[in-house]
Amino acid sequence: MLYFYPVNLELSLETTAFNKVFSLQSGLYCHISGDFIVINDRPVVEARDIIVDLEKTSDKKKMRIAINALLTLSIFTMVFITGFYPLALMIFVTIWDLKNIKRQTLPILVGNCIPIKNISSTKFIHGKLGFNQIDLLITNDNGKQMAKVLNLYDSEEEALKAIGILKELGLMTENPLDENRTILVDQPFFKINENERLYLLEKEIVISKNERYMERNEYVGVNNIIFLFVQFMLTASVFIKIYLMIDKGEFLWADVIVLSLLLLLLPLPLKYFNKSTADLIDKADILKMYTEQKKAKTYLVIEFKSDWILPLKRMIHFEDAQIAAQALTTLQGK
């Protein structure tokens, strides 16, 4: 059902105040206009933008999974047909897409005008290379839940601006980027390296970068399925390539180079299998902790529960082995 709200046309054509609008990756603007959040392609909000429809949603998760699987199979089919094995590296595009699919648990709102009163909560998602996003959880008047994803413009300044605006609206209680470092102030920590610290909070362990409290979502379950699949395909590719070389009875330099490349890539999927990149771990989920030496490097290894079948491993590389040992002793004592 569509809802049209009366709007003062003269006021609506005014440019949105600087502290009431932020930019999105798509080039669109996200405005705070009265009692609404409005997304459009202009620095002004007009009467035509204030149309609320909290019924129409889009849920393309199953279709995206099917397309992803088809694309993955197509990549490996092309690899075998053309014999150009480096094409297999395109599989990492499908891995990235699967991460986004995994995170989508609610249908996505199609409309771009959202009453603030219908926003139940917000969640800030840290992205790589500065591509952060904010998920709005929306509940319409009939109790139906949905989400609206705001992909923020790739600058920390714009992200902080968006967070500040949402905090003023009462939609965020804390700053996920923690520019004031309030969460970690006066908390005990162990120095990992020049930029990272291991903080010991009451219920959590935080690996902080530049003294910021960061939470990174985990999609290791999806990753592991892909890693197993890639491992199988790489292993099959090695045997197929060897068979073709023997069958032809000739060993060209090009064949040797391709085989060497495949053998170089072969151990990579298992190397990253079940490895976590979590920057925040609940103490209640920890199963085991120990230090490990690899290639003259010292790691503090934390194994913890997850939605995946097996425990996940978070390996933290400490520059100083003694500090790693002290951190382990302190964690085990708590």
Side-chain angles (χ1 to χ4, degrees):
M1 182 180 295
L2 295 176
Y3 296 91
F4 296 85
Y5 290 80
V7 180
N8 186 316
L9 289 177
E10 183 178 348
L11 290 177
S12 69
L13 291 175
E14 292 182 358
T15 301
T16 305
F18 177 78
N19 63 344
K20 296 293 183 182
V21 62
F22 53 90
S23 302
L24 304 178
Q25 284 179 30
S26 58
L28 300 178
Y29 298 91
C30 185
H31 306 260
I32 309 304
S33 179
D35 297 325
F36 305 96
I37 289 181
V38 177
I39 301 169
N40 64 17
D41 59 354
R42 304 174 303 282
V44 299
V45 176
E46 303 177 37
R48 56 180 168 147
D49 297 316
I50 312 299
I51 301 174
V52 178
D53 184 357
L54 299 185
E55 293 292 339
K56 189 175 181 181
T57 59
S58 173
D59 192 354
K60 301 178 180 178
K61 188 172 183 177
K62 292 181 180 178
M63 183 178 71
R64 285 182 64 187
I65 291 174
I67 292 174
N68 191 290
L70 182 62
L71 178 60
T72 301
L73 290 174
S74 299
I75 291 171
F76 283 106
T77 301
M78 289 300 296
V79 168
F80 291 131
I81 291 175
T82 63
F84 186 63
Y85 292 93
L87 274 176
L89 297 176
M90 290 180 63
I91 192 67
F92 291 105
V93 175
T94 63
I95 292 174
W96 177 84
D97 186 54
L98 270 178
K99 289 183 178 183
N100 289 324
I101 295 173
K102 171 73 174 178
R103 195 174 56 79
Q104 182 186 329
T105 57
L106 290 172
I108 302 299
L109 176 67
V110 174
N112 285 327
C113 181
I114 309 160
I116 294 173
K117 69 180 180 66
N118 290 103
I119 300 175
S120 307
S121 64
T122 62
K123 185 174 184 180
F124 187 90
I125 307 296
H126 293 276
K128 294 183 178 179
L129 302 177
F131 291 102
N132 302 312
Q133 60 191 58
I134 295 174
D135 289 353
L136 303 180
L137 175 62
I138 302 158
T139 306
N140 68 14
D141 295 337
N142 297 321
K144 178 182 177 180
Q145 289 191 324
M146 61 205 76
K148 188 71 174 179
V149 179
L150 306 178
N151 294 304
L152 304 178
Y153 184 74
D154 56 333
S155 80
E156 184 171 336
E157 180 182 353
E158 201 68 23
L160 290 173
K161 182 180 175 184
I163 291 167
I165 291 172
L166 294 176
K167 283 180 69 177
E168 284 187 12
L169 292 174
L171 297 177
M172 281 190 175
T173 56
E174 295 178 346
N175 185 344
L177 292 181
D178 192 31
E179 80 275 28
N180 294 322
R181 304 174 180 175
T182 54
I183 297 178
L184 302 179
V185 169
D186 297 327
Q187 297 293 335
F189 69 87
F190 293 93
K191 181 180 176 182
I192 299 173
N193 53 47
E194 287 300 322
N195 298 317
E196 294 181 301
R197 295 177 177 181
L198 178 70
Y199 281 86
L200 307 181
L201 306 185
E202 182 180 355
K203 297 181 179 180
E204 304 162 332
I205 294 173
V206 177
I207 294 92
S208 167
K209 294 175 177 62
N210 298 317
E211 298 182 46
R212 285 187 179 151
Y213 177 92
M214 298 178 68
E215 181 176 358
R216 184 176 298 168
N217 288 307
E218 287 298 324
Y219 308 102
V220 181
V222 174
N223 285 354
N224 281 340
I225 294 171
I226 295 297
F227 288 151
L228 288 174
F229 180 70
V230 172
Q231 187 71 56
F232 171 78
M233 298 304 294
L234 283 173
T235 304
S237 299
V238 168
F239 282 104
I240 290 171
K241 188 62 182 175
I242 293 173
Y243 170 78
L244 292 175
M245 291 169 67
I246 295 174
D247 187 57
K248 288 189 302 182
E250 57 182 6
F251 299 89
L252 303 177
W253 276 109
D255 292 329
V256 173
I257 291 173
V258 169
L259 183 59
S260 299
L261 179 61
L262 287 172
L263 290 172
L264 186 66
L265 295 174
L266 192 60
L268 287 182
L270 286 181
K271 179 181 178 181
Y272 292 103
F273 183 82
N274 236 39
K275 297 296 190 301
S276 170
T277 55
D279 291 326
L280 187 152
I281 302 171
D282 289 334
K283 289 182 178 179
D285 292 334
I286 295 176
L287 300 172
K288 189 190 299 184
M289 296 177 289
Y290 53 92
T291 55
E292 185 174 287
Q293 295 286 334
K294 279 191 175 182
K295 298 180 180 178
K297 294 181 179 179
T298 302
Y299 293 88
L300 172 63
V301 183
I302 301 175
E303 295 187 14
F304 60 98
K305 303 174 190 174
S306 74
D307 295 332
W308 175 246
I309 303 167
L310 302 172
L312 301 181
K313 284 186 180 181
R314 176 61 160 104
M315 300 184 68
I316 308 166
H317 174 214
F318 276 80
E319 289 184 343
D320 190 319
Q322 289 186 345
I323 296 179
Q326 291 172 6
L328 176 62
T329 301
T330 302
L331 286 169
Q332 289 176 334
K334 294 186 178 183

